[in-house]
Amino acid sequence: AGGIGGVHRDGHVSMDVSADLLELSRTPVIVVSAGIKSILDIERTLENLETLAVPTVTYRADEFPAFFSPASGVPTPWRVDSVNEIVRAYLLGAT
């Protein structure tokens, strides 16, 4: 995927939240993306994903990517450094 959707800026006022997030909480899938689209509120999107119990990780990065940029200034919720770690995390969550 390119970038995933999320909570729009001022989404806490407008309640403009992409349906992507709810679907990610319902579908057993691993999504590889360039991060949250940079026009969105990255911190609120990560909070929303946490609320929906969607594990959110970065691969070999300490900051969550901002779609066009590998760094957003937002710390990653969970860093993994190998594909095996991603698979293990997915399998643990799927049980």
Side-chain angles (χ1 to χ4, degrees), residues 1 15 21-23 33 43 49 58-59 67 76-78 83 92:
M15 300 304 292
L21 305 185
L22 185 57
E23 189 58 37
S33 83
E43 290 177 291
L49 288 166
T58 59
Y59 182 64
F67 191 53
T76 183
W78 184 6
V83 173
L92 286 172

Side-chain angles (χ1 to χ4, degrees), residues 16-78:
D16 192 357
V17 179
S18 300
D20 299 16
L21 305 185
L22 185 57
E23 189 58 37
L24 286 172
S25 73
R26 295 177 173 170
T27 306
V29 64
I30 296 173
V31 176
V32 178
S33 83
I36 297 162
K37 292 178 182 172
S38 54
I39 61 168
L40 301 173
D41 187 324
I42 295 171
E43 290 177 291
R44 283 204 168 93
T45 299
L46 289 172
E47 288 175 18
N48 194 285
L49 288 166
E50 180 182 4
T51 299
L52 293 169
V54 176
T56 307
V57 305
T58 59
Y59 182 64
R60 297 181 179 172
D62 293 321
E63 289 184 32
F64 205 84
F67 191 53
F68 291 115
S69 171
S72 65
V74 178
T76 183
W78 184 6

